[in-house]
Amino acid sequence: MSDPSTWDSLPQRLPDWFRDAPLGIFIHWGPYSVPAWAEPTAELGAVPDDAGWFAHNPYAEWYFNTIRIEGSPAAEHHREVHGDAPYDDFLDQWDASDFDPAAWADLFRRAGADYVVPTTKHHDGVTLWDAPGTGDRNTVRRGPQRDLVGEIATAVTEAGMRFGVYYSGGLDWHVRPTEPLVSGEDVHDLKRPRDDEYGKYCASHVRDLIDRYSPDVLWNDIGWPDENFHFEEGGLGELLEHFYAARPEGLINDRFAGAHQDFVTTEYQAGEIPEGLPWENCRGVGLSFGYNQVEDASQYMSGAQAVRHVVDAVSKGGRVLLNVGPRADGSFHELQVAALESLGEFMAEHKAHLAGSRGLGELELDGVDWARAVEKDGMCHVFLSGPTGAVRLDASALPGGFDWPTGGMEATLAGEDAAPVAISAARAG
């Protein structure tokens, strides 16, 4: 690695727009949306058996890997339904005829999102734009025959939101094929590519994304090839310098293998909330990021659950990058849309209280199942959820330093299936 002081010279950023953004939208869309199949097991972080996770992976976007694990339900499904067809057949079968980027952007904006981050290349190596060095293995030359990244970028920015890009720098099962990945050690150490040639291939892609689409977030995944940790031509250091120079309000996540970061990510239940650092939780509306036709209401978050998830993160100093997985044709499952619509109804009233707030965390209140608090502009806002009906809250149990009624405060809860209700008080004195 180069002199650490060189890495230290890169900017450390928390731009106002990101600090004040409670919600972003993640989009996982690729050839995996054609088979659209995974075993709906459990959320990441809720399964203790590492090897069992990969054979029973609920992430449909990992289909290319999971179908190669002998004896896995995905392998059996692929054999029965698709006759062991090569994965790239799905790229050619991908028909995005119902894709309406302006309608997508309008839905995300109404949901209360401030930024949108689509996948540009996932671990299968298929790029959603005509990326350099990919030949015809991209969505411009095959399948949809459209620059999906460019269309999303234009729609998102025209709708007044920030645009970011997800890119899998750590894995590419086409350019750097491996045996099936069956453990976290395989993914992050034993079977990931480390060579500078692959690193320069990735760097050329990300540089092209920066120059073409002007993203304000670089959201890398699964690390970066070790030998590319340098500031020479085509190195990661040079790439990040280019990004920061080109995008004055841009920032990067913490998945560049420790080289540099502006914010920390957690995923579903995996990862620790950092103390005093900006952070973001990413998760799907369901158990998968890519669309999974097997999922139903028992796997999808309800609107109320989605609202509570966002408020919970903000109350702890973070934000949520909530993922939707389109069908191959570009339409969304109605339960994904319903969750975003419910978020939008809540955010229309309460986003102003969340954006740029100081998180006050969880509260324990009698008669209330769930309570979170934030402070914004001298006001404390407490969000409450529990059984339908009136409840009297003891002022001593509410955040101190605010003018709560001395005799307590009454709130009328709307039930677990409804979005939280809010009570507020001004700072004392």
Side-chain angles (χ1 to χ4, degrees), residues 2 7 167 169 194-208 210 224-242 256:
S2 302
W7 294 97
Y167 184 86
R194 302 174 184 270
D195 61 289
D196 189 44
E197 181 184 15
Y198 172 64
K200 288 179 176 176
Y201 173 80
C202 293
S204 71
H205 283 184
V206 177
R207 178 177 279 265
D208 194 51
I210 295 166
W224 196 265
D226 303 49
E227 294 178 12
N228 192 246
F229 275 55
H230 59 76
F231 282 76
E232 298 167 13
E233 184 177 356
L236 175 60
E238 183 203 46
L239 174 67
L240 296 183
E241 285 182 329
H242 178 67
F256 282 94

